[in-house]
Tab-separated table of all heavy atoms in Angstrom:
chain	number	residue	atom	x	y	z
A	438	THR	N	34.055	-119.949	8.786
A	438	THR	CA	33.692	-119.934	7.365
A	438	THR	C	34.421	-121.017	6.577
A	438	THR	O	34.352	-121.056	5.340
A	438	THR	CB	34.002	-118.556	6.747
A	438	THR	OG1	35.397	-118.259	6.920
A	438	THR	CG2	33.150	-117.467	7.394
A	439	LEU	N	35.135	-121.892	7.302
A	439	LEU	CA	35.868	-123.025	6.721
A	439	LEU	C	36.961	-122.578	5.751
A	439	LEU	O	37.302	-123.298	4.807
A	439	LEU	CB	34.902	-123.991	6.021
A	439	LEU	CG	33.831	-124.634	6.916
A	439	LEU	CD1	32.960	-125.588	6.120
A	439	LEU	CD2	34.480	-125.366	8.090
A	440	ASN	N	37.514	-121.410	5.983
A	440	ASN	CA	38.669	-120.942	5.203
A	440	ASN	C	39.925	-121.515	5.861
A	440	ASN	O	40.728	-120.809	6.466
A	440	ASN	CB	38.692	-119.414	5.185
A	440	ASN	CG	39.773	-118.852	4.281
A	440	ASN	OD1	40.425	-119.586	3.531
A	440	ASN	ND2	39.980	-117.538	4.353
A	441	MET	N	40.077	-122.847	5.735
A	441	MET	CA	41.050	-123.583	6.541
A	441	MET	C	42.503	-123.273	6.196
A	441	MET	O	43.372	-123.339	7.059
A	441	MET	CB	40.796	-125.089	6.427
A	441	MET	CG	39.556	-125.521	7.171
A	441	MET	SD	39.658	-125.046	8.930
A	441	MET	CE	38.072	-125.563	9.534
A	442	LYS	N	42.765	-122.932	4.935
A	442	LYS	CA	44.142	-122.622	4.552
A	442	LYS	C	44.644	-121.405	5.328
A	442	LYS	O	45.749	-121.416	5.894
A	442	LYS	CB	44.217	-122.371	3.048
A	442	LYS	CG	45.644	-122.257	2.526
A	442	LYS	CD	45.666	-122.192	1.005
A	442	LYS	CE	47.102	-122.115	0.503
A	442	LYS	NZ	47.149	-122.056	-0.979
A	443	GLU	N	43.820	-120.343	5.365
A	443	GLU	CA	44.187	-119.145	6.117
A	443	GLU	C	44.174	-119.410	7.620
A	443	GLU	O	45.028	-118.917	8.356
A	443	GLU	CB	43.218	-117.996	5.793
A	443	GLU	CG	43.527	-117.260	4.509
A	443	GLU	CD	44.890	-116.593	4.552
A	443	GLU	OE1	45.164	-115.839	5.511
A	443	GLU	OE2	45.698	-116.838	3.633
A	444	TYR	N	43.197	-120.200	8.066
A	444	TYR	CA	43.101	-120.509	9.495
A	444	TYR	C	44.359	-121.212	9.991
A	444	TYR	O	44.934	-120.857	11.017
A	444	TYR	CB	41.872	-121.375	9.779
A	444	TYR	CG	41.816	-121.869	11.214
A	444	TYR	CD1	41.447	-121.019	12.251
A	444	TYR	CD2	42.159	-123.182	11.530
A	444	TYR	CE1	41.409	-121.454	13.565
A	444	TYR	CE2	42.130	-123.631	12.839
A	444	TYR	CZ	41.755	-122.776	13.849
A	444	TYR	OH	41.727	-123.208	15.157
A	445	GLU	N	44.815	-122.240	9.242
A	445	GLU	CA	45.999	-122.993	9.653
A	445	GLU	C	47.240	-122.091	9.687
A	445	GLU	O	48.068	-122.188	10.594
A	445	GLU	CB	46.229	-124.173	8.709
A	445	GLU	CG	45.185	-125.283	8.870
A	445	GLU	CD	45.525	-126.510	8.038
A	445	GLU	OE1	46.711	-126.880	7.991
A	445	GLU	OE2	44.594	-127.084	7.451
A	446	LYS	N	47.353	-121.193	8.704
A	446	LYS	CA	48.498	-120.290	8.650
A	446	LYS	C	48.500	-119.373	9.890
A	446	LYS	O	49.513	-119.197	10.560
A	446	LYS	CB	48.429	-119.454	7.375
A	446	LYS	CG	49.649	-118.576	7.139
A	446	LYS	CD	49.398	-117.549	6.032
A	446	LYS	CE	48.973	-118.213	4.738
A	446	LYS	NZ	48.738	-117.192	3.669
A	447	LYS	N	47.337	-118.794	10.189
A	447	LYS	CA	47.245	-117.868	11.319
A	447	LYS	C	47.335	-118.602	12.658
A	447	LYS	O	47.885	-118.080	13.630
A	447	LYS	CB	45.942	-117.074	11.242
A	447	LYS	CG	45.910	-116.093	10.092
A	447	LYS	CD	44.558	-115.403	9.974
A	447	LYS	CE	44.517	-114.471	8.774
A	447	LYS	NZ	43.174	-113.855	8.615
A	448	PHE	N	46.804	-119.820	12.701
A	448	PHE	CA	46.881	-120.602	13.937
A	448	PHE	C	48.331	-120.923	14.272
A	448	PHE	O	48.732	-120.897	15.440
A	448	PHE	CB	46.070	-121.886	13.805
A	448	PHE	CG	46.059	-122.724	15.057
A	448	PHE	CD1	45.201	-122.420	16.103
A	448	PHE	CD2	46.921	-123.803	15.204
A	448	PHE	CE1	45.198	-123.174	17.262
A	448	PHE	CE2	46.929	-124.560	16.355
A	448	PHE	CZ	46.061	-124.244	17.389
A	449	ASP	N	49.131	-121.211	13.259
A	449	ASP	CA	50.552	-121.503	13.479
A	449	ASP	C	51.257	-120.291	14.086
A	449	ASP	O	52.067	-120.417	15.014
A	449	ASP	CB	51.204	-121.903	12.153
A	449	ASP	CG	52.662	-122.292	12.336
A	449	ASP	OD1	52.930	-123.234	13.099
A	449	ASP	OD2	53.534	-121.637	11.737
A	450	ILE	N	50.936	-119.092	13.580
A	450	ILE	CA	51.511	-117.859	14.141
A	450	ILE	C	51.040	-117.662	15.577
A	450	ILE	O	51.815	-117.294	16.464
A	450	ILE	CB	51.119	-116.650	13.275
A	450	ILE	CG1	51.731	-116.782	11.880
A	450	ILE	CG2	51.573	-115.341	13.934
A	450	ILE	CD1	51.230	-115.738	10.890
A	451	LEU	N	49.757	-117.916	15.790
A	451	LEU	CA	49.182	-117.791	17.136
A	451	LEU	C	49.919	-118.663	18.138
A	451	LEU	O	50.294	-118.213	19.223
A	451	LEU	CB	47.699	-118.183	17.099
A	451	LEU	CG	46.983	-118.395	18.435
A	451	LEU	CD1	46.872	-117.082	19.181
A	451	LEU	CD2	45.604	-118.992	18.226
A	452	VAL	N	50.168	-119.911	17.778
A	452	VAL	CA	50.855	-120.842	18.677
A	452	VAL	C	52.257	-120.350	18.994
A	452	VAL	O	52.662	-120.299	20.161
A	452	VAL	CB	50.912	-122.263	18.063
A	452	VAL	CG1	51.817	-123.167	18.893
A	452	VAL	CG2	49.520	-122.849	17.968
A	453	ARG	N	52.995	-119.958	17.972
A	453	ARG	CA	54.379	-119.525	18.192
A	453	ARG	C	54.449	-118.270	19.064
A	453	ARG	O	55.284	-118.174	19.956
A	453	ARG	CB	55.073	-119.282	16.842
A	453	ARG	CG	55.481	-120.570	16.147
A	453	ARG	CD	56.351	-120.329	14.921
A	453	ARG	NE	55.564	-120.016	13.736
A	453	ARG	CZ	55.510	-118.817	13.173
A	453	ARG	NH1	56.196	-117.815	13.695
A	453	ARG	NH2	54.797	-118.608	12.095
A	454	GLU	N	53.568	-117.333	18.795
A	454	GLU	CA	53.610	-116.087	19.563
A	454	GLU	C	53.138	-116.286	20.997
A	454	GLU	O	53.695	-115.699	21.925
A	454	GLU	CB	52.766	-115.017	18.860
A	454	GLU	CG	53.378	-114.580	17.547
A	454	GLU	CD	52.752	-113.298	17.021
A	454	GLU	OE1	51.893	-112.717	17.701
A	454	GLU	OE2	53.138	-112.894	15.910
A	455	MET	N	52.127	-117.119	21.190
A	455	MET	CA	51.641	-117.344	22.549
A	455	MET	C	52.621	-118.175	23.353
A	455	MET	O	52.812	-117.950	24.547
A	455	MET	CB	50.261	-118.005	22.536
A	455	MET	CG	49.157	-117.041	22.133
A	455	MET	SD	47.503	-117.719	22.368
A	455	MET	CE	47.384	-117.692	24.143
A	456	PHE	N	53.275	-119.145	22.703
A	456	PHE	CA	54.263	-119.950	23.423
A	456	PHE	C	55.445	-119.086	23.856
A	456	PHE	O	56.018	-119.301	24.925
A	456	PHE	CB	54.748	-121.103	22.553
A	456	PHE	CG	53.905	-122.352	22.678
A	456	PHE	CD1	52.592	-122.276	23.102
A	456	PHE	CD2	54.428	-123.598	22.373
A	456	PHE	CE1	51.811	-123.408	23.222
A	456	PHE	CE2	53.652	-124.745	22.488
A	456	PHE	CZ	52.338	-124.642	22.909
A	457	SER	N	55.806	-118.095	23.050
A	457	SER	CA	56.919	-117.227	23.433
A	457	SER	C	56.495	-116.255	24.521
A	457	SER	O	57.315	-115.803	25.314
A	457	SER	CB	57.429	-116.456	22.213
A	457	SER	OG	56.440	-115.534	21.766
A	458	TYR	N	55.193	-115.943	24.572
A	458	TYR	CA	54.697	-114.983	25.565
A	458	TYR	C	54.497	-115.628	26.929
A	458	TYR	O	54.776	-115.038	27.956
A	458	TYR	CB	53.377	-114.388	25.076
A	458	TYR	CG	52.787	-113.349	25.998
A	458	TYR	CD1	53.391	-112.103	26.151
A	458	TYR	CD2	51.625	-113.612	26.722
A	458	TYR	CE1	52.861	-111.141	26.985
A	458	TYR	CE2	51.088	-112.650	27.557
A	458	TYR	CZ	51.703	-111.426	27.686
A	458	TYR	OH	51.171	-110.480	28.518
A	459	MET	N	54.036	-116.901	26.911
A	459	MET	CA	53.769	-117.609	28.170
A	459	MET	C	54.999	-118.398	28.602
A	459	MET	O	55.885	-118.682	27.809
A	459	MET	CB	52.576	-118.560	27.990
A	459	MET	CG	51.278	-117.841	27.660
A	459	MET	SD	49.850	-118.955	27.546
A	459	MET	CE	50.233	-119.918	26.109
A	460	ASP	N	55.036	-118.750	29.878
A	460	ASP	CA	56.122	-119.580	30.365
A	460	ASP	C	56.089	-120.928	29.649
A	460	ASP	O	55.033	-121.523	29.478
A	460	ASP	CB	55.990	-119.824	31.878
A	460	ASP	CG	56.325	-118.579	32.672
A	460	ASP	OD1	56.921	-117.662	32.090
A	460	ASP	OD2	55.985	-118.531	33.859
A	461	VAL	N	57.276	-121.403	29.254
A	461	VAL	CA	57.362	-122.717	28.611
A	461	VAL	C	57.737	-123.739	29.665
A	461	VAL	O	58.756	-123.625	30.318
A	461	VAL	CB	58.396	-122.707	27.470
A	461	VAL	CG1	58.531	-124.097	26.870
A	461	VAL	CG2	57.988	-121.698	26.404
A	462	GLY	N	56.920	-124.734	29.820
A	462	GLY	CA	57.171	-125.769	30.815
A	462	GLY	C	56.194	-126.906	30.610
A	462	GLY	O	55.605	-127.066	29.537
A	463	GLU	N	55.982	-127.683	31.643
A	463	GLU	CA	55.124	-128.856	31.516
A	463	GLU	C	53.683	-128.493	31.176
A	463	GLU	O	52.971	-129.264	30.561
A	463	GLU	CB	55.155	-129.670	32.819
A	463	GLU	CG	56.492	-130.335	33.085
A	463	GLU	CD	56.459	-131.170	34.345
A	463	GLU	OE1	55.387	-131.257	34.965
A	463	GLU	OE2	57.501	-131.751	34.698
A	464	THR	N	53.234	-127.316	31.606
A	464	THR	CA	51.835	-126.957	31.385
A	464	THR	C	51.655	-125.998	30.212
A	464	THR	O	50.605	-125.379	30.079
A	464	THR	CB	51.237	-126.307	32.649
A	464	THR	OG1	51.933	-125.090	32.917
A	464	THR	CG2	51.331	-127.226	33.837
A	465	THR	N	52.676	-125.895	29.335
A	465	THR	CA	52.569	-124.950	28.223
A	465	THR	C	51.359	-125.240	27.345
A	465	THR	O	50.604	-124.344	26.986
A	465	THR	CB	53.844	-124.988	27.361
A	465	THR	OG1	54.957	-124.660	28.185
A	465	THR	CG2	53.753	-123.991	26.224
A	466	ALA	N	51.163	-126.508	26.985
A	466	ALA	CA	50.027	-126.870	26.126
A	466	ALA	C	48.710	-126.572	26.819
A	466	ALA	O	47.773	-126.049	26.212
A	466	ALA	CB	50.107	-128.343	25.749
A	467	GLU	N	48.630	-126.903	28.121
A	467	GLU	CA	47.407	-126.641	28.870
A	467	GLU	C	47.128	-125.141	28.940
A	467	GLU	O	45.984	-124.691	28.788
A	467	GLU	CB	47.525	-127.210	30.295
A	467	GLU	CG	47.565	-128.734	30.358
A	467	GLU	CD	48.991	-129.258	30.342
A	467	GLU	OE1	49.829	-128.629	29.668
A	467	GLU	OE2	49.257	-130.279	30.984
A	468	ASN	N	48.203	-124.365	29.154
A	468	ASN	CA	48.076	-122.918	29.248
A	468	ASN	C	47.559	-122.348	27.926
A	468	ASN	O	46.653	-121.508	27.897
A	468	ASN	CB	49.442	-122.310	29.585
A	468	ASN	CG	49.328	-121.032	30.381
A	468	ASN	OD1	48.271	-120.432	30.459
A	468	ASN	ND2	50.431	-120.609	30.961
A	469	PHE	N	48.138	-122.824	26.824
A	469	PHE	CA	47.692	-122.383	25.508
A	469	PHE	C	46.232	-122.766	25.281
A	469	PHE	O	45.435	-121.963	24.784
A	469	PHE	CB	48.557	-123.002	24.413
A	469	PHE	CG	48.011	-122.770	23.037
A	469	PHE	CD1	48.304	-121.592	22.354
A	469	PHE	CD2	47.174	-123.693	22.423
A	469	PHE	CE1	47.771	-121.351	21.103
A	469	PHE	CE2	46.642	-123.459	21.173
A	469	PHE	CZ	46.946	-122.290	20.501
A	470	TYR	N	45.901	-123.987	25.612
A	470	TYR	CA	44.528	-124.473	25.413
A	470	TYR	C	43.514	-123.564	26.095
A	470	TYR	O	42.532	-123.137	25.488
A	470	TYR	CB	44.401	-125.904	25.946
A	470	TYR	CG	42.971	-126.353	26.142
A	470	TYR	CD1	42.201	-126.766	25.061
A	470	TYR	CD2	42.399	-126.351	27.403
A	470	TYR	CE1	40.881	-127.160	25.236
A	470	TYR	CE2	41.086	-126.742	27.589
A	470	TYR	CZ	40.332	-127.151	26.504
A	470	TYR	OH	39.021	-127.538	26.679
A	471	HIS	N	43.743	-123.265	27.371
A	471	HIS	CA	42.769	-122.457	28.111
A	471	HIS	C	42.729	-121.020	27.599
A	471	HIS	O	41.660	-120.404	27.569
A	471	HIS	CB	43.082	-122.495	29.609
A	471	HIS	CG	42.732	-123.804	30.237
A	471	HIS	ND1	41.441	-124.272	30.297
A	471	HIS	CD2	43.502	-124.759	30.817
A	471	HIS	CE1	41.431	-125.450	30.894
A	471	HIS	NE2	42.666	-125.761	31.212
A	472	ALA	N	43.874	-120.493	27.173
A	472	ALA	CA	43.876	-119.153	26.579
A	472	ALA	C	43.075	-119.155	25.281
A	472	ALA	O	42.303	-118.227	25.006
A	472	ALA	CB	45.310	-118.695	26.321
A	473	PHE	N	43.237	-120.194	24.493
A	473	PHE	CA	42.516	-120.314	23.220
A	473	PHE	C	41.010	-120.425	23.457
A	473	PHE	O	40.202	-119.793	22.758
A	473	PHE	CB	43.039	-121.540	22.454
A	473	PHE	CG	42.527	-121.650	21.044
A	473	PHE	CD1	42.594	-120.563	20.182
A	473	PHE	CD2	42.006	-122.842	20.571
A	473	PHE	CE1	42.132	-120.660	18.870
A	473	PHE	CE2	41.545	-122.958	19.274
A	473	PHE	CZ	41.612	-121.866	18.413
A	474	VAL	N	40.627	-121.209	24.453
A	474	VAL	CA	39.204	-121.345	24.784
A	474	VAL	C	38.632	-119.999	25.226
A	474	VAL	O	37.527	-119.606	24.830
A	474	VAL	CB	38.975	-122.411	25.874
A	474	VAL	CG1	37.522	-122.399	26.356
A	474	VAL	CG2	39.327	-123.801	25.343
A	475	LEU	N	39.388	-119.264	26.069
A	475	LEU	CA	38.933	-117.937	26.485
A	475	LEU	C	38.705	-117.040	25.271
A	475	LEU	O	37.710	-116.308	25.189
A	475	LEU	CB	39.965	-117.285	27.410
A	475	LEU	CG	39.971	-117.724	28.870
A	475	LEU	CD1	41.156	-117.099	29.594
A	475	LEU	CD2	38.676	-117.347	29.571
A	476	GLY	N	39.647	-117.100	24.327
A	476	GLY	CA	39.509	-116.295	23.116
A	476	GLY	C	38.269	-116.661	22.336
A	476	GLY	O	37.554	-115.787	21.824
A	477	MET	N	37.959	-117.958	22.243
A	477	MET	CA	36.758	-118.388	21.522
A	477	MET	C	35.494	-117.987	22.267
A	477	MET	O	34.496	-117.592	21.655
A	477	MET	CB	36.792	-119.902	21.296
A	477	MET	CG	37.797	-120.321	20.247
A	477	MET	SD	37.582	-122.017	19.696
A	477	MET	CE	37.925	-122.917	21.193
A	478	LEU	N	35.521	-118.102	23.599
A	478	LEU	CA	34.347	-117.704	24.388
A	478	LEU	C	33.987	-116.246	24.145
A	478	LEU	O	32.810	-115.875	24.119
A	478	LEU	CB	34.610	-117.924	25.882
A	478	LEU	CG	34.476	-119.355	26.388
A	478	LEU	CD1	35.067	-119.481	27.791
A	478	LEU	CD2	33.018	-119.795	26.401
A	479	VAL	N	35.015	-115.408	23.962
A	479	VAL	CA	34.784	-113.986	23.721
A	479	VAL	C	34.511	-113.715	22.239
A	479	VAL	O	33.543	-113.046	21.893
A	479	VAL	CB	36.005	-113.162	24.191
A	479	VAL	CG1	35.876	-111.718	23.773
A	479	VAL	CG2	36.149	-113.266	25.706
A	480	GLY	N	35.346	-114.283	21.369
A	480	GLY	CA	35.226	-113.981	19.943
A	480	GLY	C	34.009	-114.562	19.264
A	480	GLY	O	33.555	-114.042	18.244
A	481	LEU	N	33.470	-115.664	19.813
A	481	LEU	CA	32.328	-116.336	19.177
A	481	LEU	C	31.050	-116.232	19.997
A	481	LEU	O	30.077	-116.924	19.722
A	481	LEU	CB	32.669	-117.823	18.952
A	481	LEU	CG	33.868	-118.113	18.053
A	481	LEU	CD1	34.168	-119.616	18.027
A	481	LEU	CD2	33.625	-117.604	16.630
A	482	LYS	N	31.050	-115.351	21.003
A	482	LYS	CA	29.932	-115.325	21.961
A	482	LYS	C	28.582	-115.031	21.320
A	482	LYS	O	27.549	-115.474	21.815
A	482	LYS	CB	30.207	-114.318	23.073
A	482	LYS	CG	30.294	-112.863	22.623
A	482	LYS	CD	30.595	-111.948	23.801
A	482	LYS	CE	30.588	-110.481	23.406
A	482	LYS	NZ	31.643	-110.124	22.442
A	483	ASP	N	28.583	-114.288	20.215
A	483	ASP	CA	27.307	-113.913	19.596
A	483	ASP	C	26.720	-115.005	18.714
A	483	ASP	O	25.506	-115.041	18.503
A	483	ASP	CB	27.487	-112.641	18.763
A	483	ASP	CG	27.851	-111.439	19.626
A	483	ASP	OD1	27.409	-111.404	20.794
A	483	ASP	OD2	28.584	-110.557	19.142
Side-chain angles (χ1 to χ4, degrees):
T438 58
L439 299 181
N440 186 8
M441 288 303 177
K442 189 173 182 180
E443 279 298 307
Y444 173 76
E445 289 187 41
K446 186 192 304 180
K447 291 175 183 177
F448 182 81
D449 183 59
I450 296 171
L451 168 67
V452 171
R453 283 189 277 109
E454 292 194 3
M455 286 189 72
F456 271 23
S457 67
Y458 182 70
M459 297 183 293
D460 287 345
V461 177
E463 292 182 2
T464 63
T465 301
E467 292 93 326
N468 210 345
F469 170 85
Y470 164 79
H471 287 297
F473 189 50
V474 172
L475 280 173
M477 287 194 296
L478 281 167
V479 172
L481 299 175
K482 64 181 184 296
D483 295 329

